[in-house]
Amino acid sequence: MELGKFGIWQPAYATTPDMAKRLENLGYTALWLGGPPPDLAGIADILSATDNLVVGSSIYNPYNGDAPTVAAAYRRIDQQFPDRLLLGIGVGHPEQTKGYGTPMATLRTFLDDLDTHGLARERRALAALGPKMLEVARDRTGGSLPYLVSAEHTRRARTVLGPQKLLAPEQKVVLEPDAERARALARPRIKHPYLGLVNYRNNLRRLGFTDDDLAGDGSNRLIDALTVYGQPTEIAQGLRAHLDAGADHVQIQLVSEKSAPHPAIPDVLLQVYDDAAFQSYEILAAALAITPSTRVPCR
């Protein structure tokens, strides 16, 4: 599977085959879809519209459906588009999930079921944050897809995973050179909902952030660690910091002025993916010096 160095993260509900083709034409080698349904609906259409783009789920939550359903969907898509689909898995958060159980036990059971239904370990990865979950990612999957992390987390994760496993962190970016303006755009996207979720708060504490950093809207130190902003060349440098720390690939999540309130959770702002967003993707592609032919095998 050729994953390349840089891909784009977007919610599954907001992503169309036409968007995927435009991203591939800019040189991005992977598209990461947040929250796909159990039958992975829509992914085959995206793969059909593109030539070589790899699609990954980032992430699929086991609480949304059973392992047989997602394994059957994976096999169906992989037969039609070999080596172009990666199943990213994460157990979500107790604040957002009715009947939430012990994360490790839930995940192990789900992975056992995927084994039973023939989904190869190298075709799946975990949204692992803490050391124990990273060990499960190392031992039972192809690697890890951490979300809401810094380059320091990437360095620590590589140590746990070892040299051969995939490590593809998500990174928020703001194309804004003014620090105060960039923080003002990033802060609400990080505060709601992430600073209210215990799994992320615990991981940020492991990285050295204090309760004061996590309080209220989040400290400048926290926002600066979780967001790459500045001129395009500065953002490219910040994204490559993950590669320097041991990542194989970086999922780029755009944060811009254009957003809309979540229909059910008004405090949560959803990115608007319009022509202006694709102009930002084009600027980033140029800064990263990527082209449609820049493809390297993932580990």
Side-chain angles (χ1 to χ4, degrees):
M1 184 179 293
E2 295 185 1
L3 195 58
K5 295 298 184 184
F6 299 102
I8 297 296
W9 187 100
Q10 290 193 176
Y13 76 85
T15 303
T16 66
D18 178 65
M19 289 180 180
K21 184 59 179 175
R22 292 176 68 183
L23 290 171
E24 185 176 50
N25 287 343
L26 290 175
Y28 295 103
T29 50
L31 173 61
W32 301 92
L33 299 177
D39 61 356
L40 306 181
I43 290 179
D45 292 336
I46 288 173
L47 293 173
S48 179
T50 54
D51 297 319
N52 298 295
L53 192 74
V54 173
V55 172
S57 60
S58 180
I59 49 79
Y60 176 80
N61 189 333
Y63 285 100
N64 292 339
D66 57 43
T69 299
V70 71
Y74 186 100
R75 287 195 303 271
R76 182 181 67 252
I77 295 170
D78 188 58
Q79 287 173 1
Q80 189 175 1
F81 305 98
D83 300 325
R84 294 180 59 195
L85 177 59
L86 180 67
L87 184 68
I89 304 164
V91 291
H93 308 278
E95 297 88 349
Q96 298 176 331
T97 307
K98 185 177 180 180
Y100 193 84
T102 305
M104 194 68 72
T106 299
L107 186 60
R108 289 185 186 278
T109 298
F110 189 73
L111 293 175
D112 288 343
D113 289 343
L114 291 180
D115 288 342
T116 298
H117 290 87
L119 201 156
R121 295 188 176 194
E122 65 270 17
R123 299 301 184 86
R124 64 201 196 201
L126 298 185
L129 295 175
K132 291 183 179 179
M133 196 65 81
L134 284 163
E135 289 174 357
V136 176
R138 178 194 65 204
D139 296 340
R140 299 205 55 186
T141 78
S144 178
L145 313 172
Y147 188 94
L148 199 72
V149 295
S150 63
E152 171 59 21
H153 183 274
T154 296
R155 184 189 66 77
R156 299 185 189 188
R158 175 53 71 197
T159 299
V160 177
L161 290 172
Q164 299 303 318
K165 295 292 183 174
L166 171 69
L167 178 55
E170 173 267 351
Q171 176 64 64
K172 291 174 177 57
V173 303
V174 183
L175 274 166
E176 171 56 61
D178 181 79
E180 290 305 313
R181 178 59 181 157
R183 289 170 183 149
L185 291 172
R187 183 166 269 117
R189 309 287 186 96
I190 291 173
K191 178 181 180 181
H192 300 294
Y194 305 117
L195 294 188
L197 301 177
V198 65
N199 293 345
Y200 286 126
R201 291 174 64 88
N202 287 343
N203 187 60
L204 292 169
R205 289 190 182 98
R206 281 191 293 266
L207 291 172
F209 294 100
T210 67
D211 287 344
D212 287 340
D213 289 313
L214 302 175
D217 294 339
S219 69
N220 285 348
R221 184 171 84 101
L222 177 70
I223 301 304
D224 288 352
L226 299 178
T227 311
V228 174
Y229 59 80
Q231 299 288 353
T233 53
E234 294 173 305
I235 292 175
Q237 183 179 4
L239 292 169
R240 290 195 179 100
H242 282 284
L243 302 180
D244 294 340
D248 301 293
H249 177 94
V250 183
Q251 305 177 41
I252 300 169
Q253 181 173 176
L254 180 68
V255 174
S256 76
E257 293 183 356
K258 292 192 175 182
S259 63
H262 190 292
I265 317 171
D267 285 339
V268 174
L269 297 179
L270 304 176
Q271 177 65 38
V272 173
Y273 297 97
D274 57 4
D275 285 341
F278 278 85
Q279 290 173 3
S280 296
Y281 291 151
E282 186 173 7
I283 291 169
L284 290 172
L288 293 166
I290 59 175
T291 68
S293 61
T294 304
R295 303 181 64 81
V296 296
C298 71
R299 290 189 274 193

